[in-house]
Amino acid sequence: PRSGGGGMGWALLGVGLLLALYTLLRHGLRSAPRPRARPALRGRTAIVTGGSSGIGAATALELARCGARVILATRNALRGEAAASRIRTETGNEEVRFMHLDLASLRSVRAFASTFLRQEPHLHLLINNAGVSAGGMTEDGFSLPFQVNHLGHFLLTQLLLERLRSCGPSRVVIVASSAHCAGRLRPESLGRPPPGLFSAFQDYCDSKLANVLHARELATREQDTQVTCYAVHPGFVNTALFRYAPLWLKPLLLPLAWLLFLDPSEGAQVVLDCATQDGLEPLSGRYFTDSGPQQPWPRGRDDRLAQALWEGSERLVGL
């Protein structure tokens, strides 16, 4: 009997050591987030796509806390309404509402934009945050990550641009990723899943390169207006983004995500910096990380590719 107890003791000790190691690793490998002071945003209206969970919800919460009117533009009505209600309760800001938007449907993007423009007189901040990491094809015939992460947001931004201009100074923040480093956009095959064994991974990286180039080209085109634009790498954040990862990859990703990745409120900080920080206008079109503005990887600085992507995107969404 005693040896059984001893085994139990060793097991508990093992678990204790593992937990201690986990805590050390988690806090040692990640710097503590610095609390940021945010300006008052009363009288300003923000749209946050994918605002019902993850970075989007954390961003929406903080914008509401600063007094902004916040529209959670998200696909699932139940989750969207619940998130809006939670944020209203937590911040005491009654100006938080849900509006239906499914970026995997260009028809839904158009419907959202026309409803928004009819019901809401102002728009100062557009946070293009929603994203998926993999998936099949959309009803419009494009790969899901490319449409949700780039094309749907591209169309949304174009449809709301006039309102952003008339309410200037206004900002567009596009949640990109350092995964753009592996992006290889080919203008002639935009929106089609790339070939090869790692098609899903490549597709995601391509969509993130598109985010970086979209911000760059939008900034160029809006130079003489009061609309500025920023691409953001929020850090590696533990969100539902990975729900579409292949099954064999999940056992590898999940422990890594818990150990090293930021939580959504930490990931939202850079997004909020680009949305609210004073004096960023001269840096329009740039790519930001937690350390401030950074050079994106070479393809993310390719102005000819940015222009080809813009023209291709306009064609694909029928603008």
Side-chain angles (χ1 to χ4, degrees), residues 33-41 46-48 54-68 70 125-129 171-175 230-234 263-280 288-290:
R34 33 182 214 285
R36 327 270 224 268
R38 303 272 170 220
L41 298 174
I47 292 174
V48 182
I55 295 172
T59 302
L61 176 70
E62 197 57 39
L63 292 172
R65 207 171 262 146
C66 295
V70 183
L125 286 174
L126 173 58
I127 315 279
N128 288 337
N129 156 79
R171 295 183 182 184
V172 179
V173 180
I174 300 173
V175 178
Y230 312 89
V232 169
H233 168 60
D263 65 44
S265 63
E266 292 171 303
Q269 295 306 317
V270 197
V271 180
L272 289 157
D273 288 348
C274 287
T276 64
Q277 219 171 11
D278 279 342
L280 287 188
F288 283 73
T289 72
D290 194 36

Side-chain angles (χ1 to χ4, degrees), residues 45-64 69-75 87 97-99 101 103 112 116 123 125-130 153 156 173 175 271-272 275:
T45 299
I47 292 174
V48 182
T49 70
S52 64
S53 65
I55 295 172
T59 302
L61 176 70
E62 197 57 39
L63 292 172
R69 179 171 177 79
V70 183
I71 310 299
L72 305 183
T74 188
R75 193 184 47 173
I87 293 172
R97 52 182 300 230
F98 155 78
M99 279 177 71
L101 169 68
L103 289 153
F112 170 88
F116 176 86
L123 179 59
L125 286 174
L126 173 58
I127 315 279
N128 288 337
N129 156 79
H153 280 128
L156 180 68
V173 180
V175 178
V271 180
L272 289 157

Side-chain angles (χ1 to χ4, degrees), residues 156-202:
L156 180 68
T157 306
Q158 290 304 97
L159 296 175
L160 299 174
L161 202 48
E162 206 40 65
R163 182 61 53 86
L164 284 162
R165 283 179 191 145
S166 70
C167 294
S170 57
R171 295 183 182 184
V172 179
V173 180
I174 300 173
V175 178
S177 162
S178 60
H180 78 273
C181 68
R184 292 199 302 253
L185 285 172
R186 294 183 185 79
E188 68 283 354
S189 58
L190 281 183
R192 295 208 294 274
L197 186 60
F198 295 104
S199 173
F201 174 72
Q202 187 62 55

Side-chain angles (χ1 to χ4, degrees), residues 249-270:
L249 199 54
K250 281 186 173 167
L252 298 172
L253 274 179
L254 293 176
L256 200 67
W258 281 112
L259 194 60
L260 300 181
F261 288 14
L262 306 172
D263 65 44
S265 63
E266 292 171 303
Q269 295 306 317
V270 197

Side-chain angles (χ1 to χ4, degrees), residues 140-153:
D140 302 293
F142 304 117
S143 92
L144 185 73
F146 192 76
Q147 179 164 337
V148 170
N149 301 354
H150 168 66
L151 272 184
H153 280 128

